[in-house]
């Protein structure tokens, strides 16, 4: 937990009571003394410092300073819906890297059962998105949208997303060009299912102006590919 | 499982019986018909194709073709020993990306308890290394070495490792230069503990000719940083 995320509704006269997971983490892992400073972030708001007022059985913080976060470059991620255990990680990764929009889409090689997982619900997502913000030290929740059918997404949604971006990339692990070392924001990147995109899907992305790229011969799991690609984009924009 | 890894000792007259996890995977996930071809790899040897002789209650394959794997570029990974759940993933990632040597080292911010984990044993490592080979489609097991003390590693081992490599990089998530977009093999890369390297450690790596780099502002978990860096290296060498 590199940043303690606080919901605006939790603040009363600059004071915050931390309960549950965050409170336990502060008491058991960080174990601060009274008066210590901790890094905090207001959900979808500024980051800053809080002073520890109490951290014994309950944790009380007083917010002492807030600074607006410099908005990072706009990055939109399109990912074929992965299996539930991977989805948790991809949600956290997208939030940690400051992705503004995450579009989870269907594709021919996405198993139908993934869409009926109990994890495919907005309420469940937030837990993993928050873990990602805590890890990455960010405060902005990505907008997450689920698209249950590929063709309506490709025909009605994708062109608009693509038109709003300058760099448009689709990962496809074969003999493709390398990921460009210099990119211009906003960036939209698409990551396929295990087994890859099929030709129809690649054609639809190509029609929307996406360039295929490969990071090499290694066949990555989606929870390896997503941080690799997002780190690559961050590094290429930096 | 993108490649079925077979130990040379398992082959009798070109035939292999798959039991346990691999057999279950073939029967329940791949579900081939008799006569189908499957991609196989001989541990520390060539890759090739096998014909499915039986795949009902037991799985029998006949090896029909083997081709020596083109040796990938030499990449050595030095990682501060992570917590056990992360270590499993880092072992798999190192194997998947074809790392030749993985040096797990101590550092000031490595928790001492990590060294007494039941996972810190050569026999336990192999399971996760094999999973990585299956994922990455490779056959060569990385050499894994554990170094319980930083200073003897830095003084006695690191200079030799560094001298054998052309590109020497140490990840450190701050205001550092970007990872170079073009590298020359062999490459050695060092990844720190959660909380980062301390100044003494950075100095020792600098003395051995390592250049610090950052992939961006996002604070990554080690199991995100390792595939990001290894994919970056693979892409930069390609």
């Amino acid at each position: 937990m590199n940043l303690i995320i606080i919901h605006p509704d939790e603040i009363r006269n600059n004071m915050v009571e931390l309960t549950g997971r965050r409170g336990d983490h502060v008491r058991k892992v960080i174990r601060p003394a009274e008066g210590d400073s901790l890094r905090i972030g207001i959900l979808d708001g500024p980051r800053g410092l809080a002073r520890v007022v109490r951290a014994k059985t309950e944790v009380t913080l007083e917010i002492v300073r807030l600074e607006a976060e410099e908005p990072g470059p706009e990055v939109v991620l399109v990912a074929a819906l992965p299996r539930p255990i991977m989805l948790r990680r991809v949600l956290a990764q997208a939030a940690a890297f400051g992705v503004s929009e995450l579009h989870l889409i269907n594709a021919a090689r996405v198993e139908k059962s993934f869409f009926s997982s109990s994890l495919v619900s907005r309420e469940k997502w937030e837990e993993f998105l928050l873990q990602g913000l805590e890890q990455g030290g960010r405060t902005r929740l990505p907008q997450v949208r689920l698209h249950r059918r590929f063709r309506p997404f490709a025909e009605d949604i994708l062109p608009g997303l693509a038109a709003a971006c300058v760099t448009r990339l689709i990962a496809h692990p074969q003999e493709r060009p390398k990921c460009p070392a210099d990119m211009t924001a906003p960036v939209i990147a698409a990551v396929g299912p295990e087994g890859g995109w099929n030709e129809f899907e690649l054609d639809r992305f190509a029609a929307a102006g996406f360039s295929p790229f490969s990071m090499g011969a290694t066949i990555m799991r989606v929870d390896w590919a997503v941080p690799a690609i997002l780190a690559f984009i961050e590094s290429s924009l930096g």
Side-chain angles (χ1 to χ4, degrees), chain A:
Chain A
M1 199 179 284
N2 296 303
L3 196 66
I4 298 165
I5 302 289
I6 292 166
H7 195 282
D9 293 350
E10 294 178 299
I11 306 171
R12 296 268 179 285
N13 297 322
N14 261 2
M15 306 289 274
V16 184
E17 305 277 343
L18 291 187
T19 53
R21 196 173 54 86
R22 291 168 307 166
D24 289 347
H25 182 85
V26 171
R27 285 191 296 112
K28 295 176 184 168
V29 181
I30 305 180
R31 287 183 290 186
E34 287 178 17
D36 282 1
S37 287
L38 296 179
R39 294 181 62 218
I40 57 153
I42 313 296
L43 189 63
D44 286 321
R47 291 186 293 197
L49 287 179
R51 193 175 61 79
V52 176
V53 179
R54 262 188 304 274
K56 295 266 163 63
T57 51
E58 52 189 25
V59 176
T60 307
L61 305 180
E62 179 184 15
I63 298 172
V64 292
R65 185 154 55 84
L66 289 176
E67 282 169 10
E69 190 178 355
E70 222 167 286
E74 206 74 4
V75 177
V76 174
L77 182 64
V78 177
L81 184 69
R83 65 185 65 226
I85 192 173
M86 294 290 167
L87 177 55
R88 301 173 183 207
R89 298 179 188 164
V90 169
L91 288 165
Q93 291 163 345
F97 279 92
V99 160
S100 56
E101 294 177 32
L102 170 60
H103 293 268
L104 298 165
I105 72 171
N106 200 357
R109 294 187 189 125
V110 169
E111 280 187 35
K112 289 207 172 29
S113 65
F114 297 172
F115 280 93
S116 46
S117 150
S118 66
L119 199 68
V120 176
S121 87
R122 209 160 291 276
E123 301 75 49
K124 295 279 177 69
W125 292 339
E126 185 154 309
E127 173 185 352
F128 304 104
L129 294 170
L130 285 171
Q131 289 176 11
L133 295 181
E134 292 166 355
Q135 171 63 41
R138 300 183 190 269
T139 67
R140 183 179 63 163
L141 275 183
Q143 301 297 313
V144 184
R145 287 187 60 190
L146 185 72
H147 305 273
R148 291 178 183 270
R149 292 165 62 210
F150 179 80
R151 194 190 282 257
F153 169 77
E155 290 177 358
D156 303 335
I157 311 285
L158 187 61
L161 295 175
C165 291
V166 176
T167 305
R168 295 177 284 265
L169 297 167
I170 180 166
H172 195 62
Q174 290 185 4
E175 299 291 324
R176 308 272 170 176
K178 297 204 287 186
C179 202
D182 286 296
M183 298 184 200
T184 305
V187 178
I188 184 167
V191 180
E194 284 181 47
W197 304 104
N198 70 18
E199 285 306 315
F200 172 75
E201 291 154 0
L202 286 170
D203 284 350
R204 299 318 302 160
F205 278 100
F210 282 65
S211 305
F213 77 96
S214 162
M215 298 196 76
T218 302
I219 307 167
M220 284 194 259
R221 291 164 32 147
V222 64
D223 62 330
W224 304 357
V226 166
I229 290 166
L230 293 177
F232 205 108
I233 292 171
E234 186 170 332
S235 175
S236 300
L237 291 170

